[in-house]
Amino acid sequence: MNVGFIGLGIMGAPMAGHLIAGGHSLALKTRRQAPENLVAAGGTPCATAADVAARSDVIILMLPDTPDVETVLFAPDGVAEGAKRGSVVVDMSSISPIATRDFAARLAERGVDYLDAPVSGGEVGAKNAALSIMVGGKADIFARVKPLFDLMGKTVTHVGETGAGQVAKVANQIIVALTIEAVAEGLLFASKAGADPAKVRQAITGGLATSRILELHGERMIKRTFDPGFRIALHQKDLNLALEGAKSLGLALPGTALAQQLFSACAANGAGDKDHSALVQALEIMGNHAIAEG
């Protein structure tokens, strides 16, 4: 396919690379210079989002937040100006489900289809083409784009109509945040009580408490490797979506609110650009004790 890819950051660049490796023609746009490896592999840098859209049958977005997506779609020289009738916009960012439905309706007036397809799996999943991709939109459009999803992800699920993918991603981010918090509390307790947290982590990965977060982020907490795979500031954004949505639905999400406050404490202490596993540092500050590798 002729594919456009807008947003070539930590996640977007390796995802675009898998599409090029899969034989697709890619038009590229990012705020900075397009990565040299993607250009060398055959990607075509474009000056504007409209130019990307004009060259593409499927336009993929991988952007930080709702306002970024709106700007790329509808600002002057945006996707909407260049998109052909019958083309498909695939937003793989994590943004508001309500805004997603609005964007889809505005593009539909121009004859452009829309899928919301946020992902989970972080930098590691993006590099290994092992992302979980949650898709909202028409079933026939999903089927048309699925070969692209299969190049980027290991688990690809059509959740439902427009916005359903974003709803699933918000649910995912609630569960991830609360699991990070639980792992952090458990390892902090173990360390403060005098046990080797690395050995404790090893012991409990064989039981009911095991999880990918215990395996990956538990190790980060112990080894103090907080270079971002997924930044705290971005997880804060996703939990804001969860709490705003909960308010509109009349739901109480107390655990989510707690996790958001811990992320806020991290950000206030200069850790907003660290990996979200650095949530443990908020608990360490309160307990006046840092987890340390044994």
Side-chain angles (χ1 to χ4, degrees):
M1 300 182 196
N2 293 319
V3 180
F5 208 110
I6 301 174
L8 301 168
I10 289 174
M11 300 281 290
M15 292 163 67
H18 296 313
L19 296 178
I20 293 174
H24 299 284
S25 172
L26 255 69
L28 307 172
K29 175 73 173 68
T30 191
R31 282 183 289 187
R32 303 176 185 85
Q33 187 174 357
E36 292 182 5
N37 66 308
L38 297 181
V39 176
T44 302
C46 296
T48 68
D51 188 21
V52 170
R55 293 169 177 261
S56 307
D57 302 311
V58 177
I59 306 104
I60 296 174
L61 313 182
M62 190 62 179
L63 302 167
D65 204 349
T66 305
D68 303 295
V69 173
E70 184 169 24
T71 296
V72 165
L73 289 177
F74 301 112
D77 289 326
V79 167
E81 285 193 5
K84 300 169 288 189
R85 295 186 69 85
S87 61
V88 183
V89 169
V90 180
D91 182 23
M92 303 189 78
S93 321
S94 296
I95 69 168
S96 162
I98 295 171
T100 289
R101 294 177 182 122
D102 174 62
F103 298 162
R106 290 162 69 181
L107 288 171
E109 293 174 357
R110 298 172 178 260
V112 177
D113 285 300
Y114 191 100
L115 296 175
D116 52 293
V119 305
S120 180
E123 182 182 10
V124 172
K127 287 182 174 179
N128 295 330
L131 294 169
S132 175
I133 305 175
M134 308 153 233
V135 188
K138 297 176 183 176
D140 60 326
I141 304 302
F142 168 74
R144 176 178 162 190
V145 177
K146 190 173 183 296
L148 300 181
F149 293 144
D150 288 338
L151 291 172
M152 298 181 284
K154 185 177 181 180
T155 303
V156 181
T157 305
H158 182 225
V159 181
E161 293 302 316
T162 302
Q166 295 295 353
V167 169
K169 179 57 186 290
V170 170
N172 178 86
Q173 295 302 80
I174 291 170
I175 293 167
V176 168
L178 270 63
T179 308
I180 289 173
E181 197 276 338
V183 168
E185 284 198 14
L187 293 181
L188 184 63
F189 172 81
S191 178
K192 181 70 173 180
D196 180 344
K199 294 292 187 182
V200 170
R201 172 183 162 276
Q202 180 182 348
I204 62 180
T205 52
L208 189 59
T210 193
S211 69
R212 289 289 288 163
I213 288 171
L214 177 61
E215 293 171 17
L216 298 177
H217 291 338
E219 184 176 41
R220 282 176 176 266
M221 294 173 193
I222 293 164
K223 293 187 174 180
R224 322 307 288 173
T225 51
F226 296 130
D227 292 338
F230 189 76
R231 291 186 290 117
I232 281 174
L234 290 176
H235 210 144
Q236 283 184 290
K237 177 262 297 182
D238 291 341
L239 294 191
N240 279 338
L241 295 176
L243 294 170
E244 289 167 4
K247 182 178 180 181
S248 69
L249 294 168
L251 285 176
L253 299 179
T256 303
L258 171 61
Q260 182 70 305
Q261 290 299 309
L262 293 172
F263 280 139
S264 294
C266 291
N269 283 274
D273 286 331
K274 291 185 178 180
D275 186 78
H276 54 174
S277 58
L279 176 147
V280 69
Q281 293 183 318
L283 297 171
E284 290 173 337
I285 291 168
M286 289 189 288
N288 193 30
H289 177 82
I291 295 173
E293 190 170 11

